[in-house]
Amino acid sequence: MRLGFTPDEQAFAAECRDWLQARMHGDFADIRGIGNLVAKPERRRDWERRLAADGWSCIGWPRQWGGRDATLTQQVIFAEEYARAGAPNRLNHMGVELIGPTILAYGTPAQQARTLPGIAAGADIWCQGYSEPGAGSDLAAIRTRARRDGDEWVIDGQKIWTSLAQFADHIFVVARTAEGSRGRDGLSFLLVDMRQPGVEVRPIRQINGEAEFNEVFFTDARCPADALLGVEGQGWEVATALLGFERGVSTLAQQMQFRNELDAIVAQARANDAARDPLIRQRLAESEIGLQLMRYGALRMLSRASQLEESAAALTYKIQWASWHRSLGELAIDVAGQAGEILDGPDGGYGPLANLYLYSRADTIYGGTNQIQRNLIAERALGLPREVRGDR
């Protein structure tokens, strides 16, 4: 595993850095450092369009579809420079990093031509329709159904914890298309327009008063027959392949955001003398060590496995970062002390360290709970016997 960059790669990093710094200290300075996913959605749409116009929206995609054919190393460089510059969390992360690569892998030429240009241009925002009230980490338990009606699929059901659904133009939905099927069998993967009758979005109010997550209800919602990604019944394969892309290059950008958060905690500890506490200093050191270990682990994961493969390293990564980040949130609120309980953030909300604590409480739940991740590690990485499930 090579940890350094070649001269050409260093030049590419400088190009990324110069462009990002100019934008974040120029016409997009008002959204620099925004970690709140629901803040200033229109400005962040503008940002998506600007990234696209200047060729930075989806650099790992083929040039044919608006990308740069960037190498894996170049994608890592851009992801890290993006976070280092304080650029805002991507409003269209689901489109660029998840469904786009999945359509490239499984889509027909017609599907690619219909969907990819809008994502690359920053015009079409996507969200994810996986979890349901009775099927959170256990995707195989979903009950949302889709039935064929002539040249269309008709969808009925409910999804939950749908991030940024209130801003999305499209949603990718895993639905049960085979009557009487159970578990992983009979699932299909559909590309659905959110702006239609029969699709209702209800925000879920979070502990900090914001509503990043939503419930999405489908009542006779429709999509064309050729909106089926892959073939009928292939939904489980397509859905898990998409999750492989989620553990790809974007993990390095996530770690750079973690770096920014840890640096803010250290600065606060120095400012309010919390750093004088030997236990706080020890926890800060442990956080630094954990972050470095995650970086090396992620680089190893990216260098040894295709993003479509579910390697042992990929299976362990989610539980690693989720547990580390939840502990970082606890450290943040301990360093903030009583000041962290005061609503002193923008618009009278919580400050950044308090928000970090509140957000991080969910890290070990969403995207697969720690308990589910341990099952996956045991069964798929270690080859241990499967846990007894009711669907088998």
Side-chain angles (χ1 to χ4, degrees), residues 268-291:
Q268 181 62 33
R270 288 171 173 164
N272 66 5
D273 287 338
R276 292 179 178 272
D277 184 334
L279 293 180
I280 292 291
R281 289 201 304 274
Q282 180 64 28
R283 291 168 66 188
L284 289 169
E286 290 171 351
S287 295
E288 175 66 33
I289 293 168
L291 185 58

Side-chain angles (χ1 to χ4, degrees), residues 20 34 75 98 141 158 167 209 212 241 247 265 292 300 305 385:
L20 287 162
I34 287 182
Q75 294 174 61
L98 302 187
Q158 177 188 358
F167 308 126
E212 171 191 335
R247 300 185 182 100
I265 295 170
Q292 293 293 338
R300 185 179 299 111

Side-chain angles (χ1 to χ4, degrees), residues 49-130:
R49 297 186 188 100
R50 182 57 180 271
L51 284 165
D54 290 359
W56 295 105
S57 176
C58 45
I59 66 170
W61 291 18
R63 293 185 184 277
Q64 175 187 1
W65 300 118
R68 293 191 175 204
D69 282 317
T71 65
L72 180 61
T73 301
Q74 288 175 327
Q75 294 174 61
V76 168
I77 288 170
F78 180 74
E80 293 193 332
E81 292 297 339
Y82 186 94
R84 185 178 287 116
N89 289 327
R90 296 289 297 271
L91 187 64
N92 205 18
H93 169 79
M94 295 289 181
V96 171
E97 301 293 349
L98 302 187
I99 192 60
T102 307
I103 293 171
L104 284 168
Y106 286 91
T108 64
Q111 288 173 330
Q112 293 170 351
R114 187 167 60 245
T115 58
L116 296 179
I119 300 173
D124 292 338
I125 306 300
W126 286 75
C127 62
Q128 181 180 49
Y130 275 21

Side-chain angles (χ1 to χ4, degrees), residues 85-212:
N89 289 327
R90 296 289 297 271
L91 187 64
N92 205 18
H93 169 79
M94 295 289 181
V96 171
E97 301 293 349
L98 302 187
I99 192 60
T102 307
I103 293 171
L104 284 168
Y106 286 91
T108 64
Q111 288 173 330
Q112 293 170 351
R114 187 167 60 245
T115 58
L116 296 179
I119 300 173
D124 292 338
I125 306 300
W126 286 75
C127 62
Q128 181 180 49
Y130 275 21
S131 295
E132 298 183 5
S137 295
D138 186 8
L139 182 62
I142 67 169
R143 296 183 179 182
T144 294
R145 298 190 177 276
R147 57 182 173 83
R148 187 71 178 266
D149 181 19
D151 292 333
E152 294 181 311
W153 291 99
V154 182
I155 306 167
D156 291 280
Q158 177 188 358
K159 297 295 181 178
I160 198 168
W161 312 123
T162 310
S163 298
L164 306 181
Q166 67 269 50
F167 308 126
D169 305 296
H170 305 274
I171 182 171
F172 47 95
V173 177
V174 179
R176 198 164 292 283
T177 53
E179 190 67 30
S181 63
R182 300 180 64 186
R184 303 176 182 182
D185 299 327
L187 300 176
S188 296
F189 196 105
L190 300 168
L191 308 176
V192 183
D193 187 350
M194 292 281 285
R195 313 299 186 186
Q196 63 166 299
V199 178
E200 180 186 1
V201 177
R202 298 180 190 173
I204 298 173
R205 193 66 55 188
Q206 296 160 225
I207 192 172
N208 64 353
E210 296 169 354
E212 171 191 335

